[in-house]
Amino acid sequence: MSLAKAVVTGSVYRAPEKRFTQNNVPVSSFVLNIGEREEMLLRIIVKRTALDEIVSGISEGDRVLVEGRLQVTSVKTESGAERRIFEIDANAIEMMGAGVPVVATASGNSDIVKFSQEEFSNELIGEDEIPF
């Protein structure tokens, strides 16, 4: 069941692994820890080949931002108890903490985002610059 669009950040808990469907379509997945004080694990599913390059560069412990569609799946454990698995079908993934963020989207664009120091000002916006 698909719930909504989600944007999360976290540390890679389990490195990506790539598998192939019966129709030879690559599907990668990894586990992201989105909790700060305790583990809150979320499975990330990547079905888009445009994201393959960035997913192949992800390793355990990396900080990433993931945007996609939140899905909930229910499974039964061996003991018969029902368990919910939360996962995101990723549309975009961004590496964080490497100094220069690399962004990959499902459209195939991979951009390096650079900010100069002059783009960030410590001054507040003047009253005459506010349009309302």
Side-chain angles (χ1 to χ4, degrees), residues 31-46:
V31 177
L32 193 65
N33 180 9
I34 60 173
E36 290 184 20
R37 294 192 177 123
E38 60 184 53
E39 289 182 350
M40 293 180 66
L41 303 179
L42 184 65
R43 182 184 301 158
I44 309 297
I45 307 294
V46 182

Side-chain angles (χ1 to χ4, degrees), residues 27-74:
V27 177
S28 298
S29 68
F30 61 96
V31 177
L32 193 65
N33 180 9
I34 60 173
E36 290 184 20
R37 294 192 177 123
E38 60 184 53
E39 289 182 350
M40 293 180 66
L41 303 179
L42 184 65
R43 182 184 301 158
I44 309 297
I45 307 294
V46 182
K47 300 175 187 171
R48 291 152 183 83
T49 56
L51 299 177
D52 276 349
E53 186 176 331
I54 197 161
V55 170
S56 65
I58 293 174
S59 59
E60 193 173 313
D62 288 346
R63 300 266 313 150
V64 295
L65 179 139
V66 177
E67 180 270 321
R69 195 175 69 240
L70 180 65
Q71 303 175 135
V72 179
T73 306
S74 294

